[in-house]
Amino acid sequence: MAETMLTVHSKNGDHRFKVEIAATPEEQERGLMFRKSLAGDCGMIFPYQPAQSVAFWMKNTLIPLDIIFIRADGTIARISNAKALDLTPVPSGEPITGVLEIRGGRAAELGIAEGDRAEWRQ
């Protein structure tokens, strides 16, 4: 799986993550399933072109995650805290072009909020 750097520009500074790119349907279906840990500066980005409404769930995902929905202009539309192994769908709520998954609680630790901007090389 390819990797890239993703930066979230928030009010308290820039936060950089080394992210795996879940580009294929198979990579997107597997996501971060079966992982037992995730470093605080790592994650996974799910790119979507064109923008679309999506929903994520935590089947076979062993760690809690922050699911960050990103609009076409790079602004964060929504941040959801997803529990490990929860099958409840987590919807984007609007068309998005990217979903960033990071370790659960990390967005709050760093002060990342809705309206902040994310950028990465696609």
Side-chain angles (χ1 to χ4, degrees), residues 8-15 107-112 116:
V8 175
H9 305 283
S10 70
K11 291 178 183 153
N12 65 357
D14 291 346
H15 307 285
E109 287 173 13
L110 296 173
I112 295 172
D116 289 348

Side-chain angles (χ1 to χ4, degrees), residues 24-39:
T24 69
E26 295 80 17
E27 291 169 344
Q28 290 184 351
E29 184 176 327
R30 184 170 177 88
L32 291 170
M33 286 181 179
F34 307 109
R35 307 234 184 145
K36 294 180 180 172
S37 65
L38 184 63

Side-chain angles (χ1 to χ4, degrees), residues 12-91:
N12 65 357
D14 291 346
H15 307 285
R16 295 178 53 84
F17 298 92
K18 180 177 161 186
V19 295
E20 296 174 62
I21 305 169
T24 69
E26 295 80 17
E27 291 169 344
Q28 290 184 351
E29 184 176 327
R30 184 170 177 88
L32 291 170
M33 286 181 179
F34 307 109
R35 307 234 184 145
K36 294 180 180 172
S37 65
L38 184 63
D41 64 344
C42 292
M44 184 172 284
I45 186 73
F46 298 74
Y48 294 98
Q49 288 296 333
Q52 55 195 276
S53 292
V54 298
F56 278 55
W57 61 341
M58 299 289 285
K59 182 179 180 180
N60 298 320
T61 306
L62 307 176
I63 53 176
L65 297 173
D66 287 343
I67 301 177
I68 301 172
F69 298 96
I70 304 167
R71 298 181 183 105
D73 67 359
T75 59
I76 294 174
R78 180 172 186 220
I79 301 173
S80 295
N81 307 109
K83 296 177 185 158
L85 304 172
D86 188 354
L87 299 181
T88 306
V90 179

